[in-house]
Every structure is written in structure tokens, then in C-alpha cells.
Amino acid sequence: MSKKALLIGVMCLLLISAGCANKADADKSTSNVRATETTEKTVDYTSLSQSEKNELTFLFTRSSQDPVSVNLKIINRTNKNISFINSDFILLHTKSDKVRADKDGDSTISSNSTKTVKNLFEDVELSEFQTVGLFVYKNEDNELAYSETAKLSSRSSNLTNSSLENSYKQATKAAKEAKRVTKSTSSETEDSKKNSTDTNTNANTTDTNVNDSTNTNTDSSNSTDNKTNNNNDSSSVGTVSSDQAINMVKSHDGNTDKKYAVIVDQNGGTAKTYTDSNGQSVYWIHSSDSDGSSGDDWTVYPNGTVMHAKPNL
């Protein structure tokens, strides 16, 4: 092979090598740009897929004093920056329809990083944590964690805890039933007042020729009827004794090895009942293991509804 041909061959190899290197550098640059664009993308939490939501951890930590403040720690393991509107964090609870966060502004958690929002909730009544609640973002489609009663910290992983789920559902059901009973009682009271007014009106329009003794007998009869109606209204609510309340809890709990006792109200009400936030007299039943090592709380309503939680006082 001549020197000239050899030289041409070497030059061709050099050109090919340089072209491949430039292409590799270009591909690498394009890849870096795409990765940067993906990492730096900021989206609202609600736009994430469920698998992406599972890559975030939420830790709500409340103070022990009353009123309560709550901090939120968020761990973001996705390749996106996640944004939240602080006031859209909500605690759903049985005592009130919802408790909305007090913090203004937005919070953004960068990809693969952690952020703590101080005092997300402030001045929350301690009673809001006497039964299991649910932290959500905007609505119940975005569940974040159950608020636990026995712990100051509630982590998003507790959403798989069947005991907390059942307690929350029972508490919600009992609260709805209590509101229904309160509304029904109020309606019955209004009907009773209306009937009393109608009775008085009818008595006033009675024929004036009726003698005084007849009027007296009529008034006496009306008075007797009213007493009977009042007694019927009272008995229709139903009564539950403390022993019956304990037996109801035993039936729901299904553990014959536990001890059960009625918590006595030392701050008002009757000796063995408390007045809850809806104005109803309820029993507070405490159950404990036979050795007294651990315990649990229950609420029994006058209509026989049993709630696996402390009363909402």
C-alpha cells in the first residue's frame, strides 16, 4: 500500500471517530436537558397518579397542650416538585364538619427532598383528637393519614390500619346518628308546642253556652292528655342503664377476658353519664386487659348506639 493511500485511510478513521464522539456528546446533552426538565417540573398534589402519591410520606405531629397546634413533615420521593395550598389541608372529624388549616400561602417540596410546615393547624381544641379523625388534602379523595388518639404523631402509613379505619367509620356513623336523634327530638318538641297552641285555640273558640263545669272538665281532660303525650315523648327516646351500656360494649368488643367500667363524671352531669357536644347524656365505658396493662374507650348513646372512642365532650 502506498503512503498516500495509508494517509487517506488514517484521516478517514479520525473523521469517523470525531463524528461518533460529537454524536455521543449531543445525545448526552439532550438526555441531561430532558432529565432536568422532568425533575424541575412542579405540579399540584391532586394531579399526581396514585402510584406517585404513594411515593410521598406525610407525618402530622400535634402538641400536647390545649389548644393544639399541628406541624406537617412531607417527604417527596418523586422526580417532581410537588406544590400544596396550605389552607387546603383539612382534618375531617365527627365533632365538627371539618377543621381547615390556618397556614396561608403555598408549600413546595422539591424532588427527593423533605420539608416541614410549622403550625399548619393552630388553636385546635384538644377534644378534636379524642376520637380518630382523618387528615385530607382538599377532599376525601386525597387521604393523607388518620389522626390517632393515643399518639401525638400520625404517619400516612396508618391508612392501612384496619383498627383505625373501623374506629373512624364507627365514630362518623355514631356522630351522624347523634345529630339525627337531636334533630328528631327538636322536631318533636316543635310539634308538641304546635299541638299545645292548637289545643288552646280550639278551647278559646268553644261555644260560650257550655257551662263552667263543662269547661273545667274539658281543661282537666286536656291537661291529662297533655301529660300522657309528654310521657310518651319521653319514653320514645329510650333509656340505657350503666349495666346495659357495659353489656353493649362487651358485645361489640367480643373479648371476654377484658374488664369494663363506667367512667364517673366528676365535673357535672349525673354520677355516671357525661353530656357530649351535642347535648346528649352518654356513658363513657373504659375497657382494660385483665392485668390492667392497656386500655380502650367506648361511648354508649341513649338510643343504644356504641362508638369505639371517647365521648365528644
Side-chain angles (χ1 to χ4, degrees), residues 154-302:
S154 300
R155 188 180 293 270
S156 51
S157 57
N158 71 12
L159 289 173
T160 60
N161 187 315
S162 59
S163 177
L164 291 174
E165 180 183 5
N166 290 335
S167 293
Y168 176 72
K169 288 181 178 180
Q170 288 181 13
T172 302
K173 181 180 179 180
K176 290 180 179 179
E177 178 63 18
K179 289 181 179 179
R180 186 193 68 77
V181 171
T182 301
K183 183 177 180 180
S184 176
T185 302
S186 176
S187 177
E188 289 175 359
T189 302
E190 290 299 321
D191 290 342
S192 177
K193 289 180 180 179
K194 184 176 182 300
N195 290 336
S196 177
T197 302
D198 292 342
T199 300
N200 291 335
T201 301
N202 290 335
N204 290 334
T205 58
T206 302
D207 190 347
T208 55
N209 292 327
V210 177
N211 59 44
D212 290 341
S213 63
T214 302
N215 288 336
T216 302
N217 290 336
T218 300
D219 291 340
S220 176
S221 175
N222 288 338
S223 176
T224 302
D225 289 341
N226 286 339
K227 288 181 180 179
T228 302
N229 290 334
N230 288 338
N231 288 335
N232 289 337
D233 290 342
S234 176
S235 61
S236 66
V237 175
T239 58
V240 177
S241 68
S242 57
D243 290 337
Q244 289 173 327
I246 289 178
N247 289 332
M248 290 176 181
V249 171
K250 286 182 179 179
S251 176
H252 279 72
D253 201 5
N255 191 334
T256 57
D257 295 332
K258 286 187 177 181
K259 296 180 179 179
Y260 300 86
V262 178
I263 303 298
V264 177
D265 185 3
Q266 301 293 341
N267 299 313
T270 63
K272 291 187 176 182
T273 63
Y274 286 78
T275 300
D276 70 1
S277 58
N278 293 316
Q280 291 197 94
S281 293
V282 299
Y283 290 102
W284 181 352
I285 310 297
H286 183 76
S287 62
S288 60
D289 294 338
S290 56
D291 59 358
S293 59
S294 62
D296 207 354
D297 293 287
W298 303 76
T299 301
V300 179
Y301 289 86

Side-chain angles (χ1 to χ4, degrees), residues 61-81:
T61 304
R62 60 183 173 92
S63 60
S64 58
Q65 73 272 13
D66 192 4
V68 175
S69 62
V70 180
N71 297 335
L72 170 59
K73 180 180 180 180
I74 305 175
I75 303 174
N76 177 14
R77 301 183 185 87
T78 71
N79 61 354
K80 299 177 182 178
N81 299 333

